[in-house]
Amino acid sequence: LLLLVGLAQLVKADKYYVYFSDKKGQELDPYEYFHPKAIERRIKNGIPLVQKSDLPVNPNYIAQIAELSDSLTVVSRWFNLVCIYANENAIESIEKLPYIDNVILAEPRKLLMAKKDSSLEITDEELLSIEYQLSSLGHELFKEKGLSGKEINIAVFDAGFTKADEHQGLSHLRIIKSYDFVQKDNDPFHGSSHGTSVLGNIGGRFKGKRLGMAPDANFLIARTERHFLEYASEEENWLAAAEWADRNGADIISSSLG
């Protein structure tokens, strides 16, 4: 039994961040890779259409790391890294590769979140609160200037968007992209209603009244959190979502997360 326990420890897979030293041979056509809004934002802000951080991670590096590791989760072009699960023997082999800059053991963290049930219904009392909220944000000035978020792309990161695709106060929203970075699929409309509330605060409309200042914006919806537990991997989900939002033309990221 002691021998088996020892062997299990030897092959135990931990999480690591593997940083590469270069992006040798990588090129990028910004007009094919980026959404037109991303190109527009860069030109408007005097940012080069292609920076080193935009170039993809070398696929040959990724393939070799994948062969040596147990699994690979997140690839980041901005940080030129991959997140992997691997045992110590594999890490020793990876560290010897000529294109490796650094290998860092990920800090294991898991925290329990507080839980608060919320309703998707809007009460008369809440409608009064919304009037006060809009007033405090300068709603009348927005109205005077004709500002409603039109032609602005807003990315919203949260723990979930339960029934946001069904709620009458959000039925007018134009959601142009959506992704669940926790479960790796295109359905973020579950997990938590907190993101639904945030969407309402930004762009909701109910019975002809604005609930937020940008009801005419375009939205990119990303679930990055597990809701009840806080894992370090949620930081990786956030990074992946930020790169996704940048590529797909977001002007603003709203990230209401703990």
Side-chain angles (χ1 to χ4, degrees), residues 6-245:
L7 287 171
Q9 289 296 321
L10 186 64
V11 298
K12 177 176 175 286
D14 290 309
K15 184 162 64 174
Y16 294 86
Y17 300 117
V18 179
Y19 291 81
F20 301 117
S21 58
D22 61 71
K23 292 187 173 182
K24 193 174 296 183
Q26 299 310 293
E27 297 180 352
L28 179 67
D29 181 346
Y31 293 97
E32 289 187 3
Y33 185 76
F34 289 114
H35 188 280
K37 281 285 288 182
I39 297 289
E40 179 186 314
R41 184 190 66 236
R42 288 175 177 235
I43 293 172
K44 179 180 178 181
N45 291 284
I47 299 170
L49 295 189
V50 178
Q51 303 178 95
K52 184 178 179 180
S53 59
D54 295 317
L55 296 175
V57 179
N58 190 308
N60 295 324
Y61 297 172
I62 297 172
Q64 191 163 4
I65 297 300
E67 285 182 8
L68 291 169
S69 60
D70 285 21
S71 62
L72 186 152
T73 59
V74 171
V75 177
S76 168
R77 70 180 194 273
W78 286 352
F79 287 92
N80 199 20
L81 69 78
V82 293
C83 176
I84 65 170
Y85 283 88
N87 59 49
E88 290 184 4
N89 290 339
I91 292 301
E92 287 180 8
S93 299
I94 288 170
E95 288 177 328
K96 293 175 183 176
L97 296 172
Y99 48 78
I100 298 300
D101 180 56
N102 200 7
V103 179
I104 297 175
L105 178 65
E107 179 187 350
R109 295 201 306 278
K110 185 176 75 171
L111 304 174
L112 185 63
M113 274 181 58
K115 181 179 184 295
K116 181 181 183 296
D117 292 325
S118 59
S119 169
L120 299 184
E121 298 302 316
I122 301 174
T123 66
D124 291 338
E125 184 180 359
E126 286 168 339
L127 282 173
L128 289 175
S129 297
I130 289 165
E131 291 292 338
Y132 175 77
Q133 171 183 294
L134 292 175
S135 175
S136 70
L137 291 173
H139 168 61
E140 289 302 321
L141 184 59
F142 269 64
K143 189 175 179 181
E144 180 185 321
K145 298 292 184 181
L147 299 175
S148 62
K150 190 176 181 180
E151 298 183 359
I152 300 297
N153 288 357
I154 302 175
V156 183
F157 301 173
D158 217 292
F161 301 85
T162 301
K163 296 187 178 179
D165 53 343
E166 301 175 15
H167 197 283
Q168 59 181 323
L170 303 174
S171 60
H172 64 284
L173 289 188
R174 185 165 183 261
I175 299 175
I176 58 175
K177 284 279 183 180
S178 60
Y179 195 74
D180 183 338
F181 286 88
V182 177
Q183 296 190 180
K184 316 301 181 193
D185 61 34
N186 293 316
D187 178 20
F189 302 106
H190 63 95
S192 170
S193 62
H194 187 271
T196 308
S197 299
V198 170
L199 276 177
N201 285 341
I202 297 172
R205 184 183 282 134
F206 187 70
K207 294 183 177 179
K209 293 184 178 181
R210 283 191 189 187
L211 308 184
M213 308 295 273
D216 296 326
N218 304 316
F219 289 87
L220 298 88
I221 307 301
R223 179 176 178 241
T224 63
E225 304 277 300
R226 284 181 174 83
H227 187 37
F228 292 122
L229 291 170
E230 295 288 356
Y231 290 91
S233 61
E234 291 177 342
E235 296 177 1
E236 298 148 26
N237 296 340
W238 196 99
L239 172 60
E243 295 188 12
W244 168 84

